[in-house]
Amino acid sequence: MTKQYAVFLALIVGLLMLISWQWQVEAQSQNGKSLQQRAKEAAKLKEDAPDKFTEEELEKLDLAKKRGKALYQQRLFPFDTYPVAKHLEAFRHVQANNIKPLVESNVVEPLRAIGPAPVINGQTAGFSVRTNVTGRVTTLAFDPRSSNTIYLGGAQGGVWRSMDAGQTWTPLTNDAPTQATGAIAIDPTNSNIIYVGTGEGNFSGDTFFGMGILKSTDGGSTWKQFAADTFAGSGINKIVIDPRNTNVLYASATVAFAGVSSDVGSQVTANGIFKSTDGGQTFASSLRLTGQISVGAFGYDIEMDPNNSNTLYATLEAEGIFKTTNGGQNWTKLGGGLPTRDFGRSDIALYRANPSIIYASFESTRTADILDFYKSTNGGDSWSLIGKPRGDFTCQCSYDQIIEVDPTNPDQVYFGGVSFYRSTDGGQNWSDIGSSLHSDFHAMAFTPGSPRRIIVGNDGGVWLSPDGGNSFNNIVGNLALTQFQSVAIHPTNPNITIGGTQDNGTNMYIGNLVWQHADDGDGGTSRIDQLSPATMYSTRFNLPGVLIGPFRSDSAGALGSWRMIRSGINQSDDVIFYAPMELDNIKPNTLYFGTFRLYRTTDR
C-alpha cells in the first residue's frame, strides 16, 4: 500500500466515522445491554469447561466481541489504545487557563435548554402503559435529615436534587468534568457533605467512563474533583462511608468505557474495591485480584455492616463475594454454597437490623439472566439456595441488577431487573410490582426512618412508592436526562426537532421543554426531509437476526403515523443495534441504509 493511498484511506475512514458516530454495537439486548463482557467470560469458560457452551453460542459471543472491538478501533485510528488520560489533561488545561466556551464568549448565540424535561406519553419498553419519562437513572440517595430531599444521578445527566419529594429538580453538576454518574453517598453525620462517583459501570453501548470523585461540602452548591488520576476511565458503582470516621470511604470501581474494556486498550487499571482515609482526596486499592483489566477485576457492590464498620462485603465480576473484618486490609472469598462457576455480575443486600442476614443475586454467563438467588443467616459463612424465580422474571444482569432488603423486615426483599420485583417470604416467591413503570432498574433507596417509602430509578426516570411497592407515583418532574442517539432539525421551523433516544423511542420538540413522544422502541437515527419536511424517517433498535425498520412518517412525525419501509432489504441481514441511515439532502427521495452491506432507495 502506498503512502498516498494510506492517507486517502484514512481520510475516507474519518469521514465515515463522522457520518456513523451513532452506530452502536449489535452486541446489545433490546434495552441497550452489552454482550462484550460476557464474550470475555465465555472465552474463559471455554477453557475451563468447553462443554458448557455450544459452538453456535460461542461463535455468536465471539462475533459480538469482535464487532464491539471493531467499532472502537475505527475511532482510535491511527492509534492502538484509547488515551483516557487526555480527557483529564484537557479538562485541567481548561481550568488552569480559565478558558470559556464560545457560547460564553459572545462569539455565538448563548445556549438555551430545550429539554426534553420530560417526554410526555413515552411508551415504556415492553409494556403498554404510557407515562412521563426521562433518561437512565443510575443512583439515588435520600438526605438523612429530610425525607423530601432526594439526590439523583443520571447515566449521562449529572447529579440533580429535589427538595420537594421529586416534584421539581435542580441540576447540581453542570460544570463538572463529566456528566456520567454512577454513585452518590451522603455523609451520615453531615448531609452537606456529598460524594459523587463519576462514570457508569452498567455494561452497555452508551455507558461512559468518569473522572474520579466529586465532593461537595455545601450541599451540592460547589464541588471539588478528587482521585481523578486513580479513577479516570473507570466507573464508580458504589460509595460507602464509615459512620464512625467519615473520612474513611470505600468505592467499588469497574470499567466504564462505552461498554468496551481492554479490547481497545483503554489502559484502565482502577477496577475493584478502593479505600480512602482522607475524605476522598486519595484512594488506594483494597481488593483487586488482578493488576490489569480482566475477568474478575470489576467491582460492583459493596456493603458495610452497620454494627461494625470494619466488616464489609464486596462483589467482583465472575469471582463472587468477598468479606473483610479489618477494614479492607484482608479479604476472604466466601463459599459455603455459593456458585463457583458460570456466573458474572453479582449483587448483595444486608438486613440492617441483623446484618448476619444477607441476600445475593448472581448473573448467568450463559443466558445473561438470573442464575440464582442465595441467602445467608450467619454473615456469609454458609449460604442456602433460594432458587431461580419462575415465570416472567427477566434480568439483563450485567446491565440491570439490584437487590435490597427492607431495613425492618428481613423477609421483604426487592429485586430490580428488566422489571421490579418483590418477595414477602424471604425470596421464596416473587411478584412483579413494576409492570406499570418503565423497564430496566438500576437504583433503589429507602426513606430514612420510613422504609416502606421507597424510590426506584430505571431507564425512564424515577418513581416513588409510599407503601413498599403496592403503588408508585411518577416523580420525573422536570428532569432532563434523555440520552439521544441522533437529532434532526426542521429546515425552516426552529421549533421542530426530532431525535432517537435510548429506551425511550423517537421524540419531538415542538417549541417547549416538554417533548412529544413520536415513535416507540429504542430510537436510533432520525431524519427530516429538507425539501418536504412533513416527511420524517427513523430507525429503532435491532436484534441479531431481527431487522426492525427503517420507518417513515408522512404526517410530520405524529404518533401512530410511522410505517416500515424495508422493501428490498434482506430481513436476515446481519445488522448492528442502531442501524445507520442517511438522507441525501440534495437528491430528493434518496436515502441510504446500512446492514453488513449498503442499501439505497430513490423513492423514499
Side-chain angles (χ1 to χ4, degrees), residues 89 278 499 548 572:
E89 180 182 331
D278 55 10
I548 304 173
S572 62

PDB file of all heavy atoms in Angstrom, residues 89 278 499 548 572:
ATOM      1  N   GLU A  89      -6.385  15.581  31.069  1.00  0.00           N
ATOM      2  CA  GLU A  89      -5.406  16.623  30.751  1.00  0.00           C
ATOM      3  C   GLU A  89      -6.090  17.838  30.129  1.00  0.00           C
ATOM      4  O   GLU A  89      -5.780  18.990  30.459  1.00  0.00           O
ATOM      5  CB  GLU A  89      -4.366  16.051  29.786  1.00  0.00           C
ATOM      6  CG  GLU A  89      -3.284  17.029  29.378  1.00  0.00           C
ATOM      7  CD  GLU A  89      -2.318  16.421  28.377  1.00  0.00           C
ATOM      8  OE1 GLU A  89      -2.129  15.185  28.407  1.00  0.00           O
ATOM      9  OE2 GLU A  89      -1.769  17.185  27.560  1.00  0.00           O
ATOM     10  N   ASP A 278      -8.806   9.907  53.790  1.00  0.00           N
ATOM     11  CA  ASP A 278      -8.667  11.370  53.890  1.00  0.00           C
ATOM     12  C   ASP A 278      -9.849  12.094  53.253  1.00  0.00           C
ATOM     13  O   ASP A 278      -9.698  13.113  52.588  1.00  0.00           O
ATOM     14  CB  ASP A 278      -7.356  11.830  53.254  1.00  0.00           C
ATOM     15  CG  ASP A 278      -7.198  11.367  51.809  1.00  0.00           C
ATOM     16  OD1 ASP A 278      -8.185  10.856  51.231  1.00  0.00           O
ATOM     17  OD2 ASP A 278      -6.093  11.508  51.265  1.00  0.00           O
ATOM     18  N   GLY A 499     -35.637  13.345  17.554  1.00  0.00           N
ATOM     19  CA  GLY A 499     -34.426  12.618  17.896  1.00  0.00           C
ATOM     20  C   GLY A 499     -34.737  11.246  18.450  1.00  0.00           C
ATOM     21  O   GLY A 499     -35.753  11.042  19.127  1.00  0.00           O
ATOM     22  N   ILE A 548     -35.464  -4.437  12.388  1.00  0.00           N
ATOM     23  CA  ILE A 548     -36.654  -3.654  12.728  1.00  0.00           C
ATOM     24  C   ILE A 548     -36.521  -2.287  12.060  1.00  0.00           C
ATOM     25  O   ILE A 548     -35.669  -1.493  12.437  1.00  0.00           O
ATOM     26  CB  ILE A 548     -36.799  -3.495  14.252  1.00  0.00           C
ATOM     27  CG1 ILE A 548     -36.833  -4.866  14.924  1.00  0.00           C
ATOM     28  CG2 ILE A 548     -38.046  -2.701  14.600  1.00  0.00           C
ATOM     29  CD1 ILE A 548     -36.808  -4.810  16.431  1.00  0.00           C
ATOM     30  N   SER A 572     -32.865 -10.946   6.833  1.00  0.00           N
ATOM     31  CA  SER A 572     -31.954 -11.807   7.595  1.00  0.00           C
ATOM     32  C   SER A 572     -30.535 -11.237   7.655  1.00  0.00           C
ATOM     33  O   SER A 572     -29.634 -11.892   8.173  1.00  0.00           O
ATOM     34  CB  SER A 572     -31.921 -13.210   6.982  1.00  0.00           C
ATOM     35  OG  SER A 572     -31.429 -13.160   5.649  1.00  0.00           O
TER      36      SER A 572
END
